[in-house]
PDB file of all heavy atoms in Angstrom:
ATOM      1  N   LEU A1486     109.463  85.490 104.284  1.00 98.00           N
ATOM      2  CA  LEU A1486     109.521  84.380 103.333  1.00 98.00           C
ATOM      3  C   LEU A1486     109.291  84.892 101.910  1.00 98.00           C
ATOM      4  O   LEU A1486     109.992  84.481 100.975  1.00 98.00           O
ATOM      5  CB  LEU A1486     108.479  83.328 103.691  1.00 98.00           C
ATOM      6  CG  LEU A1486     108.408  82.112 102.761  1.00 98.00           C
ATOM      7  CD1 LEU A1486     109.684  81.287 102.855  1.00 98.00           C
ATOM      8  CD2 LEU A1486     107.180  81.249 103.092  1.00 98.00           C
ATOM      9  N   ILE A1487     108.326  85.783 101.752  1.00 98.00           N
ATOM     10  CA  ILE A1487     108.067  86.359 100.429  1.00 98.00           C
ATOM     11  C   ILE A1487     109.286  87.123  99.937  1.00 98.00           C
ATOM     12  O   ILE A1487     109.683  87.011  98.768  1.00 98.00           O
ATOM     13  CB  ILE A1487     106.822  87.281 100.487  1.00 98.00           C
ATOM     14  CG1 ILE A1487     105.574  86.443 100.734  1.00 98.00           C
ATOM     15  CG2 ILE A1487     106.695  88.099  99.202  1.00 98.00           C
ATOM     16  CD1 ILE A1487     104.318  87.266 100.970  1.00 98.00           C
ATOM     17  N   ARG A1488     109.894  87.878 100.835  1.00 98.00           N
ATOM     18  CA  ARG A1488     111.082  88.659 100.457  1.00 98.00           C
ATOM     19  C   ARG A1488     112.209  87.734  99.996  1.00 98.00           C
ATOM     20  O   ARG A1488     112.889  88.007  98.992  1.00 98.00           O
ATOM     21  CB  ARG A1488     111.535  89.508 101.652  1.00 98.00           C
ATOM     22  CG  ARG A1488     112.626  90.513 101.322  1.00 98.00           C
ATOM     23  CD  ARG A1488     112.933  91.395 102.528  1.00 98.00           C
ATOM     24  NE  ARG A1488     111.778  92.222 102.896  1.00 98.00           N
ATOM     25  CZ  ARG A1488     111.064  92.084 103.998  1.00 98.00           C
ATOM     26  NH1 ARG A1488     111.374  91.120 104.879  1.00 98.00           N
ATOM     27  NH2 ARG A1488     110.048  92.865 104.254  1.00 98.00           N
ATOM     28  N   LEU A1489     112.390  86.624 100.679  1.00 98.00           N
ATOM     29  CA  LEU A1489     113.465  85.692 100.329  1.00 98.00           C
ATOM     30  C   LEU A1489     113.181  85.026  98.973  1.00 98.00           C
ATOM     31  O   LEU A1489     114.088  84.890  98.143  1.00 98.00           O
ATOM     32  CB  LEU A1489     113.591  84.639 101.425  1.00 98.00           C
ATOM     33  CG  LEU A1489     114.834  83.747 101.400  1.00 98.00           C
ATOM     34  CD1 LEU A1489     116.110  84.578 101.528  1.00 98.00           C
ATOM     35  CD2 LEU A1489     114.761  82.723 102.525  1.00 98.00           C
ATOM     36  N   ALA A1490     111.946  84.625  98.744  1.00 98.00           N
ATOM     37  CA  ALA A1490     111.603  84.012  97.459  1.00 98.00           C
ATOM     38  C   ALA A1490     111.741  85.017  96.322  1.00 98.00           C
ATOM     39  O   ALA A1490     112.256  84.693  95.239  1.00 98.00           O
ATOM     40  CB  ALA A1490     110.185  83.453  97.513  1.00 98.00           C
ATOM     41  N   ALA A1491     111.286  86.252  96.554  1.00 98.00           N
ATOM     42  CA  ALA A1491     111.370  87.276  95.511  1.00 98.00           C
ATOM     43  C   ALA A1491     112.808  87.646  95.190  1.00 98.00           C
ATOM     44  O   ALA A1491     113.129  87.992  94.045  1.00 98.00           O
ATOM     45  CB  ALA A1491     110.591  88.513  95.948  1.00 98.00           C
ATOM     46  N   ALA A1492     113.672  87.552  96.186  1.00 98.00           N
ATOM     47  CA  ALA A1492     115.077  87.912  95.979  1.00 98.00           C
ATOM     48  C   ALA A1492     115.793  86.972  95.022  1.00 98.00           C
ATOM     49  O   ALA A1492     116.875  87.291  94.517  1.00 98.00           O
ATOM     50  CB  ALA A1492     115.804  87.949  97.323  1.00 98.00           C
ATOM     51  N   THR A1493     115.219  85.815  94.731  1.00 98.00           N
ATOM     52  CA  THR A1493     115.815  84.915  93.732  1.00 98.00           C
ATOM     53  C   THR A1493     115.635  85.470  92.321  1.00 98.00           C
ATOM     54  O   THR A1493     116.233  84.962  91.382  1.00 98.00           O
ATOM     55  CB  THR A1493     115.166  83.525  93.792  1.00 98.00           C
ATOM     56  OG1 THR A1493     113.796  83.612  93.387  1.00 98.00           O
ATOM     57  CG2 THR A1493     115.267  82.921  95.185  1.00 98.00           C
ATOM     58  N   ARG A1494     114.789  86.492  92.180  1.00 98.00           N
ATOM     59  CA  ARG A1494     114.469  87.134  90.893  1.00 98.00           C
ATOM     60  C   ARG A1494     113.725  86.197  89.940  1.00 98.00           C
ATOM     61  O   ARG A1494     113.692  86.427  88.734  1.00 98.00           O
ATOM     62  CB  ARG A1494     115.734  87.685  90.213  1.00 98.00           C
ATOM     63  CG  ARG A1494     116.546  88.647  91.078  1.00 98.00           C
ATOM     64  CD  ARG A1494     115.711  89.856  91.458  1.00 98.00           C
ATOM     65  NE  ARG A1494     116.414  90.764  92.340  1.00 98.00           N
ATOM     66  CZ  ARG A1494     116.978  91.923  91.959  1.00 98.00           C
ATOM     67  NH1 ARG A1494     116.914  92.287  90.689  1.00 98.00           N
ATOM     68  NH2 ARG A1494     117.579  92.704  92.835  1.00 98.00           N
ATOM     69  N   LYS A1495     113.123  85.158  90.492  1.00 98.00           N
ATOM     70  CA  LYS A1495     112.328  84.243  89.672  1.00 98.00           C
ATOM     71  C   LYS A1495     110.845  84.629  89.759  1.00 98.00           C
ATOM     72  O   LYS A1495     110.440  85.305  90.712  1.00 98.00           O
ATOM     73  CB  LYS A1495     112.541  82.797  90.134  1.00 98.00           C
ATOM     74  CG  LYS A1495     113.962  82.319  89.876  1.00 98.00           C
ATOM     75  CD  LYS A1495     114.188  80.921  90.385  1.00 98.00           C
ATOM     76  CE  LYS A1495     115.624  80.454  90.057  1.00 98.00           C
ATOM     77  NZ  LYS A1495     115.912  79.113  90.609  1.00 98.00           N
ATOM     78  N   PRO A1496     110.042  84.216  88.794  1.00 98.00           N
ATOM     79  CA  PRO A1496     108.621  84.519  88.870  1.00 98.00           C
ATOM     80  C   PRO A1496     108.026  84.022  90.185  1.00 98.00           C
ATOM     81  O   PRO A1496     108.376  82.947  90.673  1.00 98.00           O
ATOM     82  CB  PRO A1496     108.034  83.765  87.669  1.00 98.00           C
ATOM     83  CG  PRO A1496     109.165  83.663  86.702  1.00 98.00           C
ATOM     84  CD  PRO A1496     110.387  83.491  87.552  1.00 98.00           C
ATOM     85  N   LEU A1497     107.094  84.821  90.711  1.00 98.00           N
ATOM     86  CA  LEU A1497     106.490  84.506  91.999  1.00 98.00           C
ATOM     87  C   LEU A1497     104.969  84.488  91.833  1.00 98.00           C
ATOM     88  O   LEU A1497     104.387  85.370  91.206  1.00 98.00           O
ATOM     89  CB  LEU A1497     106.894  85.555  93.034  1.00 98.00           C
ATOM     90  CG  LEU A1497     106.549  85.279  94.493  1.00 98.00           C
ATOM     91  CD1 LEU A1497     107.259  84.022  94.989  1.00 98.00           C
ATOM     92  CD2 LEU A1497     106.948  86.480  95.368  1.00 98.00           C
ATOM     93  N   ILE A1498     104.355  83.456  92.388  1.00 98.00           N
ATOM     94  CA  ILE A1498     102.894  83.306  92.366  1.00 98.00           C
ATOM     95  C   ILE A1498     102.424  83.354  93.810  1.00 98.00           C
ATOM     96  O   ILE A1498     102.929  82.608  94.659  1.00 98.00           O
ATOM     97  CB  ILE A1498     102.497  81.966  91.715  1.00 98.00           C
ATOM     98  CG1 ILE A1498     103.033  81.874  90.281  1.00 98.00           C
ATOM     99  CG2 ILE A1498     100.984  81.795  91.731  1.00 98.00           C
ATOM    100  CD1 ILE A1498     103.016  80.469  89.720  1.00 98.00           C
ATOM    101  N   ILE A1499     101.460  84.229  94.096  1.00 98.00           N
ATOM    102  CA  ILE A1499     100.977  84.387  95.467  1.00 98.00           C
ATOM    103  C   ILE A1499      99.494  84.059  95.521  1.00 98.00           C
ATOM    104  O   ILE A1499      98.689  84.665  94.809  1.00 98.00           O
ATOM    105  CB  ILE A1499     101.217  85.816  95.985  1.00 98.00           C
ATOM    106  CG1 ILE A1499     102.712  86.155  95.971  1.00 98.00           C
ATOM    107  CG2 ILE A1499     100.646  85.977  97.394  1.00 98.00           C
ATOM    108  CD1 ILE A1499     103.021  87.590  96.397  1.00 98.00           C
ATOM    109  N   SER A1500      99.112  83.103  96.375  1.00 98.00           N
ATOM    110  CA  SER A1500      97.701  82.794  96.601  1.00 98.00           C
ATOM    111  C   SER A1500      97.153  83.713  97.683  1.00 98.00           C
ATOM    112  O   SER A1500      97.843  84.008  98.665  1.00 98.00           O
ATOM    113  CB  SER A1500      97.535  81.334  97.034  1.00 98.00           C
ATOM    114  OG  SER A1500      97.103  80.535  95.964  1.00 98.00           O
ATOM    115  N   THR A1501      95.898  84.134  97.517  1.00 98.00           N
ATOM    116  CA  THR A1501      95.342  85.154  98.395  1.00 98.00           C
ATOM    117  C   THR A1501      94.194  84.652  99.275  1.00 98.00           C
ATOM    118  O   THR A1501      93.410  85.456  99.782  1.00 98.00           O
ATOM    119  CB  THR A1501      94.847  86.353  97.568  1.00 98.00           C
ATOM    120  OG1 THR A1501      93.805  85.903  96.680  1.00 98.00           O
ATOM    121  CG2 THR A1501      95.977  86.960  96.751  1.00 98.00           C
ATOM    122  N   GLY A1502      94.068  83.328  99.454  1.00 96.00           N
ATOM    123  CA  GLY A1502      93.010  82.814 100.312  1.00 96.00           C
ATOM    124  C   GLY A1502      93.070  83.419 101.706  1.00 96.00           C
ATOM    125  O   GLY A1502      94.153  83.516 102.291  1.00 96.00           O
ATOM    126  N   MET A1503      91.950  83.864 102.228  1.00 95.00           N
ATOM    127  CA  MET A1503      91.783  84.427 103.571  1.00 95.00           C
ATOM    128  C   MET A1503      92.313  85.849 103.701  1.00 95.00           C
ATOM    129  O   MET A1503      92.103  86.499 104.727  1.00 95.00           O
ATOM    130  CB  MET A1503      92.458  83.556 104.644  1.00 95.00           C
ATOM    131  CG  MET A1503      91.998  82.114 104.676  1.00 95.00           C
ATOM    132  SD  MET A1503      92.901  81.106 105.866  1.00 95.00           S
ATOM    133  CE  MET A1503      94.519  80.983 105.068  1.00 95.00           C
ATOM    134  N   ALA A1504      93.008  86.370 102.681  1.00 98.00           N
ATOM    135  CA  ALA A1504      93.725  87.637 102.830  1.00 98.00           C
ATOM    136  C   ALA A1504      92.815  88.846 102.626  1.00 98.00           C
ATOM    137  O   ALA A1504      91.917  88.847 101.783  1.00 98.00           O
ATOM    138  CB  ALA A1504      94.889  87.698 101.851  1.00 98.00           C
ATOM    139  N   SER A1505      93.100  89.890 103.388  1.00 98.00           N
ATOM    140  CA  SER A1505      92.446  91.177 103.204  1.00 98.00           C
ATOM    141  C   SER A1505      93.178  91.945 102.098  1.00 98.00           C
ATOM    142  O   SER A1505      94.289  91.578 101.679  1.00 98.00           O
ATOM    143  CB  SER A1505      92.502  91.981 104.496  1.00 98.00           C
ATOM    144  OG  SER A1505      93.858  92.324 104.795  1.00 98.00           O
ATOM    145  N   ILE A1506      92.554  93.036 101.655  1.00 97.00           N
ATOM    146  CA  ILE A1506      93.210  93.882 100.649  1.00 97.00           C
ATOM    147  C   ILE A1506      94.535  94.398 101.185  1.00 97.00           C
ATOM    148  O   ILE A1506      95.543  94.436 100.457  1.00 97.00           O
ATOM    149  CB  ILE A1506      92.285  95.042 100.231  1.00 97.00           C
ATOM    150  CG1 ILE A1506      91.121  94.504  99.387  1.00 97.00           C
ATOM    151  CG2 ILE A1506      93.045  96.109  99.463  1.00 97.00           C
ATOM    152  CD1 ILE A1506      90.104  95.551  99.016  1.00 97.00           C
ATOM    153  N   ALA A1507      94.576  94.789 102.460  1.00 98.00           N
ATOM    154  CA  ALA A1507      95.816  95.300 103.046  1.00 98.00           C
ATOM    155  C   ALA A1507      96.906  94.234 103.046  1.00 98.00           C
ATOM    156  O   ALA A1507      98.086  94.523 102.755  1.00 98.00           O
ATOM    157  CB  ALA A1507      95.555  95.800 104.465  1.00 98.00           C
ATOM    158  N   GLU A1508      96.542  92.996 103.369  1.00 98.00           N
ATOM    159  CA  GLU A1508      97.538  91.912 103.394  1.00 98.00           C
ATOM    160  C   GLU A1508      98.031  91.596 101.991  1.00 98.00           C
ATOM    161  O   GLU A1508      99.224  91.325 101.785  1.00 98.00           O
ATOM    162  CB  GLU A1508      96.937  90.681 104.058  1.00 98.00           C
ATOM    163  CG  GLU A1508      96.732  90.854 105.557  1.00 98.00           C
ATOM    164  CD  GLU A1508      95.830  89.790 106.169  1.00 98.00           C
ATOM    165  OE1 GLU A1508      95.058  89.142 105.427  1.00 98.00           O
ATOM    166  OE2 GLU A1508      95.895  89.622 107.403  1.00 98.00           O
ATOM    167  N   ILE A1509      97.128  91.618 101.013  1.00 98.00           N
ATOM    168  CA  ILE A1509      97.545  91.395  99.620  1.00 98.00           C
ATOM    169  C   ILE A1509      98.494  92.504  99.178  1.00 98.00           C
ATOM    170  O   ILE A1509      99.534  92.244  98.562  1.00 98.00           O
ATOM    171  CB  ILE A1509      96.314  91.312  98.704  1.00 98.00           C
ATOM    172  CG1 ILE A1509      95.475  90.080  99.033  1.00 98.00           C
ATOM    173  CG2 ILE A1509      96.733  91.292  97.241  1.00 98.00           C
ATOM    174  CD1 ILE A1509      94.111  90.062  98.372  1.00 98.00           C
ATOM    175  N   HIS A1510      98.141  93.731  99.491  1.00 98.00           N
ATOM    176  CA  HIS A1510      98.992  94.868  99.118  1.00 98.00           C
ATOM    177  C   HIS A1510     100.379  94.729  99.730  1.00 98.00           C
ATOM    178  O   HIS A1510     101.404  94.929  99.046  1.00 98.00           O
ATOM    179  CB  HIS A1510      98.346  96.177  99.570  1.00 98.00           C
ATOM    180  CG  HIS A1510      99.194  97.386  99.337  1.00 98.00           C
ATOM    181  ND1 HIS A1510      99.355  97.962  98.093  1.00 98.00           N
ATOM    182  CD2 HIS A1510      99.960  98.118 100.188  1.00 98.00           C
ATOM    183  CE1 HIS A1510     100.167  99.003  98.187  1.00 98.00           C
ATOM    184  NE2 HIS A1510     100.540  99.120  99.452  1.00 98.00           N
ATOM    185  N   ALA A1511     100.431  94.376 101.003  1.00 98.00           N
ATOM    186  CA  ALA A1511     101.732  94.236 101.675  1.00 98.00           C
ATOM    187  C   ALA A1511     102.573  93.144 101.035  1.00 98.00           C
ATOM    188  O   ALA A1511     103.792  93.311 100.834  1.00 98.00           O
ATOM    189  CB  ALA A1511     101.516  93.937 103.158  1.00 98.00           C
ATOM    190  N   ALA A1512     101.950  92.019 100.695  1.00 98.00           N
ATOM    191  CA  ALA A1512     102.686  90.915 100.075  1.00 98.00           C
ATOM    192  C   ALA A1512     103.211  91.315  98.698  1.00 98.00           C
ATOM    193  O   ALA A1512     104.372  91.032  98.352  1.00 98.00           O
ATOM    194  CB  ALA A1512     101.784  89.689  99.961  1.00 98.00           C
ATOM    195  N   VAL A1513     102.365  91.971  97.911  1.00 98.00           N
ATOM    196  CA  VAL A1513     102.771  92.375  96.555  1.00 98.00           C
ATOM    197  C   VAL A1513     103.896  93.408  96.616  1.00 98.00           C
ATOM    198  O   VAL A1513     104.882  93.313  95.874  1.00 98.00           O
ATOM    199  CB  VAL A1513     101.548  92.919  95.792  1.00 98.00           C
ATOM    200  CG1 VAL A1513     101.969  93.646  94.519  1.00 98.00           C
ATOM    201  CG2 VAL A1513     100.590  91.780  95.455  1.00 98.00           C
ATOM    202  N   GLU A1514     103.745  94.382  97.499  1.00 98.00           N
ATOM    203  CA  GLU A1514     104.788  95.402  97.614  1.00 98.00           C
ATOM    204  C   GLU A1514     106.095  94.797  98.111  1.00 98.00           C
ATOM    205  O   GLU A1514     107.185  95.172  97.650  1.00 98.00           O
ATOM    206  CB  GLU A1514     104.318  96.518  98.558  1.00 98.00           C
ATOM    207  CG  GLU A1514     103.219  97.381  97.981  1.00 98.00           C
ATOM    208  CD  GLU A1514     103.642  98.045  96.675  1.00 98.00           C
ATOM    209  OE1 GLU A1514     104.603  98.830  96.695  1.00 98.00           O
ATOM    210  OE2 GLU A1514     103.011  97.765  95.630  1.00 98.00           O
ATOM    211  N   THR A1515     106.018  93.873  99.066  1.00 98.00           N
ATOM    212  CA  THR A1515     107.225  93.205  99.563  1.00 98.00           C
ATOM    213  C   THR A1515     107.924  92.456  98.441  1.00 98.00           C
ATOM    214  O   THR A1515     109.153  92.537  98.288  1.00 98.00           O
ATOM    215  CB  THR A1515     106.865  92.227 100.695  1.00 98.00           C
ATOM    216  OG1 THR A1515     106.325  92.968 101.801  1.00 98.00           O
ATOM    217  CG2 THR A1515     108.085  91.436 101.154  1.00 98.00           C
ATOM    218  N   ALA A1516     107.150  91.727  97.644  1.00 98.00           N
ATOM    219  CA  ALA A1516     107.732  90.965  96.539  1.00 98.00           C
ATOM    220  C   ALA A1516     108.416  91.887  95.543  1.00 98.00           C
ATOM    221  O   ALA A1516     109.561  91.629  95.112  1.00 98.00           O
ATOM    222  CB  ALA A1516     106.642  90.147  95.851  1.00 98.00           C
ATOM    223  N   ARG A1517     107.754  92.960  95.174  1.00 98.00           N
ATOM    224  CA  ARG A1517     108.329  93.868  94.167  1.00 98.00           C
ATOM    225  C   ARG A1517     109.551  94.602  94.711  1.00 98.00           C
ATOM    226  O   ARG A1517     110.552  94.770  94.014  1.00 98.00           O
ATOM    227  CB  ARG A1517     107.258  94.839  93.682  1.00 98.00           C
ATOM    228  CG  ARG A1517     106.207  94.130  92.802  1.00 98.00           C
ATOM    229  CD  ARG A1517     105.273  95.113  92.144  1.00 98.00           C
ATOM    230  NE  ARG A1517     104.479  94.426  91.112  1.00 98.00           N
ATOM    231  CZ  ARG A1517     103.171  94.523  90.989  1.00 98.00           C
ATOM    232  NH1 ARG A1517     102.483  95.284  91.837  1.00 98.00           N
ATOM    233  NH2 ARG A1517     102.527  93.881  90.023  1.00 98.00           N
ATOM    234  N   ASP A1518     109.473  95.013  95.961  1.00 98.00           N
ATOM    235  CA  ASP A1518     110.615  95.709  96.562  1.00 98.00           C
ATOM    236  C   ASP A1518     111.839  94.811  96.656  1.00 98.00           C
ATOM    237  O   ASP A1518     112.981  95.291  96.625  1.00 98.00           O
ATOM    238  CB  ASP A1518     110.248  96.223  97.962  1.00 98.00           C
ATOM    239  CG  ASP A1518     109.276  97.389  97.917  1.00 98.00           C
ATOM    240  OD1 ASP A1518     109.071  97.959  96.822  1.00 98.00           O
ATOM    241  OD2 ASP A1518     108.696  97.719  98.977  1.00 98.00           O
ATOM    242  N   ALA A1519     111.604  93.491  96.785  1.00 98.00           N
ATOM    243  CA  ALA A1519     112.714  92.540  96.920  1.00 98.00           C
ATOM    244  C   ALA A1519     113.260  92.086  95.567  1.00 98.00           C
ATOM    245  O   ALA A1519     114.197  91.288  95.514  1.00 98.00           O
ATOM    246  CB  ALA A1519     112.273  91.329  97.725  1.00 98.00           C
TER     247      ALA A1519
END
């Protein structure tokens, strides 16, 4: 889902409730890679 939203090339805001550092890192890297 993050990859699909990031692929629109629009600004992306990610909430980090409940997330570990590893999960945050994965989400951020996925968004940037997309």
Side-chain angles (χ1 to χ4, degrees):
L1486 179 66
I1487 292 173
R1488 189 175 296 112
L1489 192 60
T1493 66
R1494 305 300 177 103
K1495 293 177 178 177
L1497 190 62
I1498 301 164
I1499 300 177
S1500 259
T1501 61
M1503 304 176 289
S1505 66
I1506 289 176
E1508 289 166 340
I1509 294 169
H1510 175 76
V1513 167
E1514 289 302 298
T1515 297
R1517 289 189 168 131
D1518 289 347

